[in-house]
Amino acid sequence: MPSIVTLISGRGSNFEAIVKTAQKEQWPVTFTGVIANHYAAKGLDFARSQGIPAFAIEHREHATRESFDAALIQKIDELGADLVVLAGFMRILTPGFIRHFEGRLMNIHPALLPAFPGLHTHERALEAGVAEHGASVHFVTEGVDEGPIICQASVPVLPGDDPNSLAARVLAAEHQIYPRAVKWFLDGRLRIEGNQVQVKPPESQLIKL
Ligand code: GAR
């Protein structure tokens, strides 16, 4: 059975959405572990409640990014991961880490990439006055929030929105596309061609909400 290791930094609602969808749809998959970079990450509690092994590797206890990433690699490899899912993992990963998991490392970003990479995406979308905002699931390559896009969801920006209301609308969309992208991967339906991802057989890679 394929195995998934998830990395989180906080709340872990995307991780929860993936696990709940897997349970509901009875995916043949094992969640071999969740790793947070903080002991207090809320998402670890959900993992424990589901009997999923939960670990914290505190990044502040590592002198360098390289040493933190080496500890992460060791733990993930020990757990066994056909797919590594970054779900609100707020650390920049070293090129060595990314190469190690190339082709089996996914991330979700709260914007319609390539628009608004980096932080504070909802504030920046409002400032820019865009009519649509959203979220993207992508394979991870060495640039921050770059890499072949697997699936996107767009939501409207509504009059009166503030960063919180927009974030909530985007988060609901994230919870739809991340499980979908993970399932496509598990079903062997994703082909990376250059900077593009094809889904075989084809299915819409953009959801409009
Ligand atoms: C999500 O909105 C995710 O897109 C974002 O962090 C949040 C985590 O929420 N990720 C990034 O900004 C990565 N660049 P969650 O812990 O409830 O899944």
Side-chain angles (χ1 to χ4, degrees), residues 108-188:
I108 190 156
H109 181 72
L112 289 170
L113 290 171
F116 310 120
L119 298 175
H120 310 300
T121 55
H122 311 305
E123 286 87 338
R124 287 159 60 208
L126 288 170
E127 259 168 46
V130 294
E132 277 194 323
H133 184 43
S136 310
V137 179
H138 63 98
F139 282 112
V140 177
T141 55
E142 288 184 27
V144 175
D145 299 323
E146 283 181 14
I149 292 169
I150 301 164
C151 191
Q152 293 184 301
S154 75
V155 301
V157 178
L158 300 177
D161 263 338
D162 62 21
N164 287 334
S165 61
L166 187 53
R169 194 172 309 122
V170 170
L171 191 66
E174 294 183 39
H175 295 165
Q176 294 200 27
I177 55 171
Y178 217 171
R180 177 181 300 216
V182 168
K183 184 65 164 51
W184 283 344
F185 180 92
L186 295 174
D187 289 344

Side-chain angles (χ1 to χ4, degrees), residues 10-209:
R11 176 178 57 186
S13 72
N14 275 289
F15 162 60
E16 195 170 328
I18 294 166
V19 171
K20 286 188 170 158
T21 307
Q23 288 169 345
K24 192 165 135 216
E25 297 178 357
Q26 301 188 326
W27 299 356
V29 69
T30 314
F31 292 91
T32 49
V34 178
I35 308 170
N37 61 313
H38 295 297
Y39 293 113
K42 282 290 298 162
L44 293 175
D45 297 337
F46 170 76
R48 291 188 190 106
S49 78
Q50 302 299 306
I52 298 170
F55 307 91
I57 301 178
E58 181 60 67
H59 71 267
R60 283 171 294 206
E61 291 172 8
H62 286 267
T64 63
R65 219 176 259 290
E66 283 70 23
S67 127
F68 172 68
D69 279 13
L72 267 185
I73 291 176
Q74 192 184 348
K75 189 73 201 170
I76 297 168
D77 284 351
E78 219 173 272
L79 293 166
D82 294 300
L83 176 64
V84 178
V85 168
L86 305 179
F89 187 67
M90 304 306 280
R91 300 291 303 164
I92 290 176
L93 294 161
T94 54
F97 181 99
I98 291 166
R99 274 195 299 272
H100 188 87
F101 295 108
E102 195 179 351
R104 53 185 175 119
L105 181 60
M106 269 187 202
N107 181 45
I108 190 156
H109 181 72
L112 289 170
L113 290 171
F116 310 120
L119 298 175
H120 310 300
T121 55
H122 311 305
E123 286 87 338
R124 287 159 60 208
L126 288 170
E127 259 168 46
V130 294
E132 277 194 323
H133 184 43
S136 310
V137 179
H138 63 98
F139 282 112
V140 177
T141 55
E142 288 184 27
V144 175
D145 299 323
E146 283 181 14
I149 292 169
I150 301 164
C151 191
Q152 293 184 301
S154 75
V155 301
V157 178
L158 300 177
D161 263 338
D162 62 21
N164 287 334
S165 61
L166 187 53
R169 194 172 309 122
V170 170
L171 191 66
E174 294 183 39
H175 295 165
Q176 294 200 27
I177 55 171
Y178 217 171
R180 177 181 300 216
V182 168
K183 184 65 164 51
W184 283 344
F185 180 92
L186 295 174
D187 289 344
R189 292 181 60 190
L190 301 179
R191 306 275 177 282
I192 304 176
E193 289 164 17
N195 200 39
Q196 297 199 342
V197 178
Q198 311 288 341
V199 184
K200 307 273 171 164
E203 197 174 322
S204 176
Q205 287 165 264
L206 172 66
I207 303 174
K208 281 188 174 278
L209 295 168

